[in-house]
Amino acid sequence: MNAHVILNREEISRILDRLASQIYERHGRCESLQLVGIQRRGVDLARRLADLLSRRVGHPLPLGSLDINLYRDDWTSLEGKPQIGQSSIPAPVNAANILLVDDVLFTGRTIRAALEALQDYGRPCSVELLVLVDRGHRELPIEATYVGRSVATRREERIDVLLEERDGLDEVRLSRADEAGA
């Protein structure tokens, strides 16, 4: 496999700390802010950010998770059956400022599905997007408010985010799509 590491544990930690600082600068005490991670690794990143922000503001932040599989526009073309996870939005969405968190921003279709899923819970005051990696190649007019790292990729390349909570290590890898599983 010809994958190479583009972010290691320390870099991911430093990026999350920087992103938490940017959120704090924009939202102050974060009193109307809710973090909502997109299943799966977006939830892990949102949890880490919530911890960092809670230490800064001195109170816990509402933290939710959103499964977007039923809202995907490609579910009929997926091989096999999509794994349907659970969404959990712990506080009212109406009039809240929602911070959607995901690991990689690519075409924008996952975020479109997340915005649609979020509407089932109410009408937020605002929705911002935070991603660990923005790899370009947008198919929809969607941009992140907060970006950990922008990485120029080719369409045939793949970004894999590995997180301690799921994978046993923190690492972001870049590989050719046909090599990713090798």
Side-chain angles (χ1 to χ4, degrees):
M1 180 160 82
N2 203 9
H4 68 278
V5 175
I6 58 175
L7 293 174
N8 62 30
R9 172 185 303 278
E10 293 77 25
E11 291 167 317
I12 292 171
S13 178
R14 198 170 34 251
I15 285 170
L16 291 177
D17 192 55
R18 175 177 51 82
L19 293 171
S21 293
Q22 291 174 358
I23 295 164
Y24 179 70
E25 286 176 17
R26 181 173 276 189
H27 291 279
R29 296 213 11 95
C30 301
E31 290 167 341
S32 65
L33 187 67
Q34 290 185 45
L35 278 68
V36 176
I38 298 173
Q39 291 284 7
R40 298 175 307 178
R41 286 169 182 80
V43 174
D44 301 328
L45 293 169
R47 188 174 297 114
R48 292 183 191 188
L49 284 165
D51 289 343
L52 290 167
L53 285 165
S54 293
R55 284 187 230 137
R56 281 181 170 87
V57 300
H59 62 84
L61 275 73
L63 175 62
S65 64
L66 196 60
D67 182 82
I68 55 97
N69 280 308
L70 290 175
Y71 299 88
R72 292 178 59 124
D73 60 5
D74 63 347
W75 69 270
T76 56
S77 65
L78 295 175
E79 291 182 20
K81 294 183 180 179
Q83 297 281 354
I84 305 301
Q86 197 159 3
S87 293
S88 171
I89 307 295
V93 168
N94 288 328
N97 295 304
I98 302 294
L99 178 59
L100 277 177
V101 179
D102 204 7
D103 56 351
V104 178
L105 178 56
F106 182 31
T107 63
R109 294 188 179 278
T110 295
I111 305 308
R112 184 220 42 89
L115 290 168
E116 190 175 329
L118 193 58
Q119 287 182 6
D120 285 349
Y121 292 92
R123 186 172 189 259
C125 179
S126 69
V127 179
E128 295 176 329
L129 174 61
L130 180 145
V131 295
L132 182 62
V133 177
D134 182 346
R135 62 167 292 192
H137 303 286
R138 222 68 84 239
E139 294 174 3
L140 299 172
I142 291 174
E143 295 297 324
T145 312
Y146 309 95
V147 176
R149 173 81 50 94
S150 293
V151 178
T153 64
R154 295 185 184 107
R155 272 201 165 277
E156 66 272 9
E157 291 178 317
R158 176 181 171 111
I159 297 276
D160 291 302
V161 175
L162 305 173
L163 296 175
E164 181 74 35
E165 297 88 338
R166 287 180 198 282
D167 309 300
L169 75 153
D170 283 347
E171 204 169 79
V172 178
R173 299 176 183 164
L174 174 66
S175 61
R176 291 188 54 86
D178 57 352
E179 299 171 341

